[in-house]
């Protein structure tokens, strides 16, 4: 006999009532962004639907400018960093070269979000972006295995 499935409950995460605004997730886009690291959370979180088929998250790709250059192509970025200022969750994708400097506006936006208590997560070498912003000082972090032994700048 197969056991009956039950609702999964995550500690500390409560469903948002329909009358409230959706939880905003800002995914940062910057020159040198790793496309897979940007696309994965966008696809996963952007496809979450409630019982009525409505999006659960307000997912926004945000950047300093309207266009960023990845290793392979130019991306149009629909949202500015003002969306990061109102996001409950910020995702920081990986960066193509660890020595690439992030624009000061991105570092400021990340520090401001951290100070107001936003949830911030990085993917792979996005940890080096967090380190450049000064958010990992004195902390241990994980990154892509190829970059794990590299010093933070």
């Amino acid at each position: 006999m197969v056991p009956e499935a039950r609702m999964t409950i995550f500690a500390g995460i409560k469903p948002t009532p329909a009358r409230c605004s959706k939880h905003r997730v800002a995914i940062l886009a910057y020159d040198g962004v790793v496309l897979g690291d940007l696309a994965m959370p966008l696809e996963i979180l952007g496809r979450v639907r409630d019982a009525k088929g409505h999006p659960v998250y307000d997912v926004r790709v945000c950047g300093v400018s309207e266009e960023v250059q990845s290793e392979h192509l130019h991306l149009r970025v629909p949202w500015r960093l003002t969306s990061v200022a109102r996001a409950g969750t910020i995702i920081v994708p990986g960066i193509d070269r660890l020595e690439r400097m992030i624009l000061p506006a991105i570092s400021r936006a990340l520090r401001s979000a951290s100070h107001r208590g936003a949830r911030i997560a990085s993917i792979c070498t996005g940890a080096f972006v967090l380190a450049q912003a000064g958010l990992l000082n004195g902390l241990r972090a994980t990154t892509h295995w190829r970059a794990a032994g590299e010093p933070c700048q």
Side-chain angles (χ1 to χ4, degrees), residues 7-15 119:
M7 182 186 297
T8 302
I9 299 173
F10 295 93
I13 300 175
K14 299 176 185 168
R119 181 181 311 142

Side-chain angles (χ1 to χ4, degrees), residues 30 64 81 101-112 129 132-134:
Y30 36 77
V64 172
L81 292 181
M101 295 304 295
I102 294 300
L103 293 173
I106 291 175
S107 292
R108 282 191 303 273
L110 286 168
R111 284 192 301 271
S112 177
V129 174
Q132 277 190 45

Side-chain angles (χ1 to χ4, degrees), residues 26-82:
I27 303 170
L28 289 179
Y30 36 77
D31 287 338
V33 69
V34 174
L35 293 175
D37 294 355
L38 184 142
M40 180 192 49
L42 179 61
E43 283 294 311
I44 291 170
L45 297 172
R47 292 184 180 272
V48 176
R49 299 290 188 260
D50 64 17
K52 294 181 181 179
H54 300 113
V56 173
Y57 300 108
D58 174 14
V59 182
R60 298 181 177 195
V61 176
C62 307
V64 172
S65 60
E66 290 183 13
E67 193 171 282
V68 297
Q69 174 68 48
S70 78
E71 184 176 354
H72 304 288
L73 51 88
H74 282 28
L75 295 172
R76 301 244 333 134
V77 180
W79 301 98
R80 302 289 70 80
L81 292 181
T82 54

Side-chain angles (χ1 to χ4, degrees), residues 137-149:
N137 294 344
L139 300 174
R140 296 183 80 184
T142 188
T143 188
H144 190 281
W145 64 268
R146 280 185 165 167

